[in-house]
Amino acid sequence: MTHLFTMFFNKSVLSLVLIMTISVLAVDARPATFLQDFRITWSDSHIRQLDGGRAVQLILDQNSGCGFASKSQYLFGRVSMKIKLIPGDSAGTVTAFYMNSDTDQVRDELDFEFLGNRSGQPYSVQTNVYAHGKGDREQRVNLWFDPAADYHTYSILWNHHHVVFSVDDVPIRVYKNNEAKGVPFPKFQPMGVYSTLWEADDWATRGGLEKIDWRKAPFYAYYKDFDIEGCPAPGPASCASNPSNWWEGSSYQQLDPVAARRYRWVRMNHMVYDYCTDKSRYPVTPPECLAGI
């Protein structure tokens, strides 16, 4: 009888441990729901939660755009979201997904800006990097698929070695740490994660030539699978400098051969603007543009 009781007790304890472990994993599981990591910052009447908070709809009309932000800031890591952009005639609209230090004078920022288009034209995504208050590093890529037909994953990897902007795991931009060449790199200020949907028809589509058609409003963009992995701030000071963080690992310090080949393919076939080659703005090529990947 004692032996049977011991077996039963051990099995019960094991079952309880398994249940508790599964529960912990479920709590920490990624992707997160919207309200786990984010708060609405602008026009809560224009953001709707869908699917129990696992997705959101952003709305732009003549009354307002909208926006949301992460509850925490992060110093290094990776953020990603799946986004389905405005279909049809979206000229003059900008859907943005970015990181920002929220500092006025010495701003750090990493931008995805999806620039609306007239029907039938390719969707462009503009990336920009601000480091120590210096920006004006715009690059534009025409997406090679219809980003309004389905969700696609957009991510920013940020470590001590580089910043990598990716679309469906295809790198479209790499900004290397070239501090040795006197080029600023964002590494001191934590950044929050933001998204906005707004009207910018003075510049967004063909340099402002194409204006927004409010007869097509309201405009909708959709987000889901919110995933933030990084060192939260405030938090342990040792986190950001910890070389054992997965995003600091050797396989994330530079593009692997497959990723590098995809990156070159994007640059050769889909890049439509690069500040590095704009001699009217930069008669002398900026030093970070000479570093390759």
Side-chain angles (χ1 to χ4, degrees), residues 263-281:
Y263 179 64
R264 286 190 291 269
W265 173 80
V266 169
R267 312 276 294 182
M268 289 177 61
N269 296 284
H270 297 281
M271 174 161 280
V272 293
Y273 177 79
D274 184 0
Y275 78 104
C276 289
T277 58
D278 190 340
K279 293 301 182 183
S280 65
R281 293 177 65 194

Side-chain angles (χ1 to χ4, degrees), residues 56-96:
V56 291
Q57 177 193 61
L58 274 61
I59 304 167
L60 168 65
D61 58 26
Q62 284 183 283
N63 295 317
S64 183
C66 57
F68 63 84
S70 59
K71 295 178 179 178
S72 299
Q73 291 186 312
Y74 302 87
L75 188 57
F76 301 112
R78 184 184 66 184
V79 299
S80 70
M81 297 181 190
K82 289 185 178 177
I83 306 173
K84 184 163 65 171
L85 296 173
I86 300 167
D89 186 347
S90 57
T93 68
V94 175
T95 307

Side-chain angles (χ1 to χ4, degrees), residues 245-264:
N245 291 327
W246 70 260
W247 51 85
E248 300 287 356
S250 58
S251 60
Y252 296 96
Q253 294 178 12
Q254 61 184 11
L255 299 185
D256 64 36
V258 172
R261 189 162 59 248
R262 291 174 174 174
Y263 179 64
R264 286 190 291 269

